[in-house]
Amino acid sequence: FDEVVMEKVSFARADLSQKMQYMNEYDNFARLYGMQLVEYAEGYACVEMQMKPDFLNSQLRLHGSWQAALILIAAGKAARSMGQEMRPCKLNMNYHHGVREGLLRVIARQKFASYNWLTVDVELHCLGDHSVNGDHAAGQPAVQAETSADILVASGRGDFLPLAGEVDFPSSLPEFFPSERRTARPRPIYPETRAGLYDDVPGLRPCFKQADWPMKLAYMNENENMYYSEGMRMTEYGPGHGCAEMNIWPQHVDADGLLDYAWLAILLAPLIGKPSLHTGNFCVTAQTSITFFEPRAALGGQLHGQADKVSQEGHFAVYTGSVYDEKGQELACGVCTMYLRDTEINFRRELPLNLEV
């Protein structure tokens, strides 16, 4: 008997179960960061991801940049559900609640569609035991254990530009897709004893609030989880100002070898927030708006970002920033409204024992 070879169906002509398989198989983010598309329909997508320590900020809460990335990714899957290729243009989101453990579920629903514009509304939820999860805006240490198992962490809206072609996945995984994530450097290992912020101990660094600008810059790079895992780092830091850079590795690109738009949000959101910490107190992001432009960075390139203060009134401040490729093309710009807390930054004053960090 002649062997029958089944032709692979294109994404646009596949049924919804096949489309889910495509999305999970050819999405680098899904493969390497544990995110899965679990429900799919026309104009609808639901993705899930178990929270991991890598996704937490220095206060052990889900980092705002990961929230922005998850909302953008889920919105993109809903927008592409009918097979037409889409380009993200705008992401607007609000942060509601801080969480540190549980299953993240992101639900994206198409709100509006026309031949030249598509809008998707998204909610990011956390499912689990929330006795360990605190309030994002008020900084409360924890909510009560009897709290509902479903917490709304963030919500947002993504706007997309429909493109001429269909969603097109390659016939097989690209050779440059890694089998596992690369890390930039080992995480810091500190001495068991921790000094207070103002303890007079010989040989210790001054606390963040009293440090000079070069030391504040070192503190920033030392106390950011993703700077260890993703090859990002701050390069400049001053009053209301900051710059950062990121190398584009295989784990950061789509199947076409170009940067996944989610990484622009992951680099930009914390970069905009860091200058608001320069006074020495913590802050939380209340709202973020990011605009994405046409150019896309390629594998092996480098991203450069800059952020600056626009205004401040009382506990609220507005900061803006942009990300560029190595040729100086602007890839995205954003603005964040920050709530400035009265809680002093409590970074470890002891130097890491593994100084190469």
Side-chain angles (χ1 to χ4, degrees):
F1 296 95
D2 294 334
E3 181 179 356
V4 177
V5 179
M6 298 295 292
E7 182 180 357
K8 197 164 188 176
V9 180
S10 68
F11 180 86
R13 291 161 182 76
D15 60 28
L16 288 171
S17 63
Q18 291 173 313
K19 285 180 177 178
M20 285 183 62
Q21 184 177 350
Y22 272 117
M23 283 291 183
N24 286 324
E25 183 178 355
Y26 288 94
D27 186 332
N28 226 356
F29 203 102
R31 294 173 54 255
L32 300 174
Y33 294 85
M35 184 185 72
Q36 288 290 307
L37 178 63
V38 296
E39 297 176 14
Y40 210 32
E42 290 189 359
Y44 171 85
C46 177
V47 300
E48 291 183 347
M49 184 171 72
Q50 189 68 39
M51 210 180 314
K52 301 176 182 177
D54 285 355
F55 306 146
L56 305 181
N57 59 24
S58 62
Q59 293 300 287
L60 302 179
R61 298 290 193 277
L62 177 63
H63 205 298
S65 63
W66 290 113
Q67 297 179 40
L70 289 171
I71 285 178
L72 181 63
I73 290 171
K77 293 184 186 304
R80 302 165 82 194
S81 60
M82 287 172 280
Q84 187 173 5
E85 189 57 88
M86 300 280 171
R87 181 175 73 81
C89 298
K90 190 83 171 180
L91 172 66
N92 292 296
M93 61 176 295
N94 295 286
Y95 302 85
H96 305 304
H97 209 291
V99 292
R100 62 180 68 175
E101 288 184 13
L103 177 69
L104 300 174
R105 175 175 292 169
V106 197
I107 301 169
R109 293 183 175 92
Q110 181 179 297
K111 177 71 174 179
F112 170 82
S114 69
Y115 71 93
N116 61 359
W117 199 256
L118 189 141
T119 298
V120 179
D121 285 344
V122 188
E123 290 185 350
L124 169 59
H125 295 254
C126 182
L127 311 179
D129 174 11
H130 297 301
S131 59
V132 296
N133 288 325
D135 182 73
H136 183 86
Q140 297 173 359
V143 294
Q144 297 302 311
E146 60 266 26
T147 300
S148 169
D150 186 338
I151 284 183
L152 177 62
V153 178
S155 58
R157 170 170 290 183
D159 294 321
F160 295 82
L161 176 67
L163 302 181
E166 296 179 346
V167 176
D168 183 26
F169 289 110
S171 57
S172 60
L173 287 181
E175 292 184 359
F176 55 78
F177 266 21
S179 58
E180 58 184 21
R181 293 164 53 192
R182 171 184 174 184
T183 57
R185 53 199 173 114
R187 298 184 186 280
I189 300 173
Y190 292 103
E192 292 184 7
T193 303
R194 177 171 185 161
L197 290 179
Y198 295 96
D199 289 350
D200 186 10
V201 180
L204 290 190
R205 298 175 288 184
C207 64
F208 180 84
K209 179 173 281 191
Q210 294 187 338
D212 59 20
W213 292 110
M215 189 167 292
K216 279 187 165 86
L217 175 64
Y219 269 123
M220 283 294 172
N221 284 320
E222 185 181 315
N223 289 275
E224 184 64 88
N225 269 340
M226 70 182 66
Y227 284 13
Y228 295 95
S229 61
E230 305 302 335
M232 306 177 190
R233 69 184 186 98
M234 295 288 293
T235 57
E236 295 180 21
Y237 197 63
H241 169 79
C243 292
E245 64 184 25
M246 169 184 167
N247 295 319
I248 302 175
W249 294 341
Q251 64 205 47
H252 302 141
V253 299
D254 287 329
D256 56 9
L258 299 177
L259 181 73
D260 188 324
Y261 285 99
W263 288 102
L264 294 174
I266 290 174
L267 175 63
L268 188 57
L271 170 60
I272 295 176
K274 289 192 183 306
S276 66
L277 302 173
H278 76 271
T279 60
N281 287 351
F282 282 116
C283 68
V284 293
T285 309
Q287 190 274 341
T288 294
S289 179
I290 300 176
T291 300
F292 303 94
F293 302 124
E294 179 65 33
R296 292 185 68 190
L299 175 62
Q302 190 175 65
L303 302 178
H304 300 269
Q306 178 174 324
D308 296 279
K309 184 170 77 171
V310 176
S311 64
Q312 180 176 338
E313 185 68 32
H315 280 280
F316 288 92
V318 176
Y319 283 77
T320 186
S322 291
V323 175
Y324 305 84
D325 64 14
E326 67 273 11
K327 299 175 183 178
Q329 288 185 304
E330 190 174 15
L331 307 178
C333 68
V335 59
C336 293
T337 302
M338 314 298 298
Y339 177 77
L340 311 178
R341 295 169 56 187
D342 295 322
T343 308
E344 185 171 347
I345 294 173
N346 60 347
F347 295 154
R348 292 286 299 260
R349 294 174 57 201
E350 298 81 11
L351 285 171
L353 300 175
N354 50 339
L355 291 178
E356 66 270 23
V357 301

